[in-house]
Amino acid sequence: DATYTHCKVSNYLPSISSAISRVPERYIWRSCIGLHSAPRFLVSAAYFSFYRGRFSSRPPEQLLSVLNLICSLTENTGLLLLTYVSSTETYNVHKYAFAVFMGSSLLHMLITCRLWMVIRRHYVHPEEKTSCVWKQRIFLFNVGCFLSAGYFFRRHNQHCEAGVYTLFSLFEYLVVFSNMAFHMTAFWDFGSKEVIVATPPEDKRY
């Protein structure tokens, strides 16, 4: 059922949308995305604060930092929307949420690479250089996989060839895995930092 296609040709790998629209996979996926969504918003705010500190005297990069924050928040929101509205429930909403997620994700990665190229030119920490290099590599890989997935999806819908939808699904998985890997480069950016949730002390009353 998960590998069924509208033109009934051989398919050996379910698309992500198909895999997360079944039960109980739907609830497992929604629980995981819901649990990690709050930390993702927190990381977006942390990056914005980090960029403001690094580019306090560079207005163009400050503007890019704001745009990067908007893209990051939009990406996370699009992910939540496409997660909680499956393709089998409301296809159009799921489709547009995926488009928002992918568009903001690619723009976010592009802006991030641009900002880190500036950081790499002006700062010499080894971890920052490593982070910059891997961000660029993963971004290019992500774009390549996205274009390949789009090509095979279009080819499948036009010609209904056996196995083509399988290739689309494979590259779709690679798009998601590379997106995750890009966000995991935060390990190099914030590896020495700690997250503390606290309330300010109350004023003493005498």
Side-chain angles (χ1 to χ4, degrees), residues 101-192:
F101 167 74
M102 278 308 306
S104 56
S105 171
L106 290 170
L107 188 56
H108 168 258
M109 287 192 281
L110 177 62
I111 296 173
T112 298
C113 288
R114 173 68 181 86
L115 292 173
W116 278 88
M117 287 176 64
V118 177
I119 290 175
R120 187 182 180 186
R121 286 200 301 265
H122 294 84
Y123 301 93
V124 293
H125 296 297
E127 289 185 345
E128 292 178 344
K129 288 186 177 180
T130 302
S131 178
C132 180
V133 169
W134 277 104
K135 280 178 170 64
Q136 293 173 355
R137 291 175 179 174
I138 295 170
F139 170 63
L140 293 175
F141 180 78
N142 184 271
V143 171
C145 290
F146 176 70
L147 294 176
S148 300
Y151 166 75
F152 286 116
F153 183 78
R154 183 180 178 85
R155 181 172 167 176
H156 166 74
N157 287 331
Q158 289 182 340
H159 304 290
C160 282
E161 300 168 274
V164 171
Y165 198 77
T166 301
L167 293 173
F168 157 73
S169 300
L170 173 63
F171 281 104
E172 186 185 33
Y173 281 104
L174 292 176
V175 167
V176 172
F177 287 141
S178 56
N179 177 275
M180 294 166 61
F182 188 90
H183 288 289
M184 286 178 65
T185 59
F187 169 79
W188 288 300
D189 305 334
F190 301 118
S192 60

Side-chain angles (χ1 to χ4, degrees), residues 68-86:
N68 196 49
L69 174 65
I70 294 172
C71 289
S72 180
L73 297 178
T74 305
E75 177 188 352
N76 294 340
T77 304
L79 177 61
L80 284 171
L81 187 59
L82 71 88
T83 294
Y84 286 96
V85 181
S86 69

Side-chain angles (χ1 to χ4, degrees), residues 44-77:
S44 298
Y47 266 114
F48 180 63
S49 177
F50 172 79
Y51 293 141
R52 279 199 309 171
R54 286 299 177 94
F55 303 124
S56 57
S57 59
R58 299 177 67 94
E61 280 72 26
Q62 285 184 339
L63 183 60
L64 282 177
S65 300
V66 173
L67 183 57
N68 196 49
L69 174 65
I70 294 172
C71 289
S72 180
L73 297 178
T74 305
E75 177 188 352
N76 294 340
T77 304

Side-chain angles (χ1 to χ4, degrees), residues 25-59:
E25 291 88 346
R26 178 192 306 172
Y27 304 115
I28 296 172
W29 175 258
R30 288 178 178 179
S31 298
C32 292
I33 294 298
L35 285 172
H36 99 297
S37 62
R40 285 192 63 161
F41 283 112
L42 181 62
V43 170
S44 298
Y47 266 114
F48 180 63
S49 177
F50 172 79
Y51 293 141
R52 279 199 309 171
R54 286 299 177 94
F55 303 124
S56 57
S57 59
R58 299 177 67 94

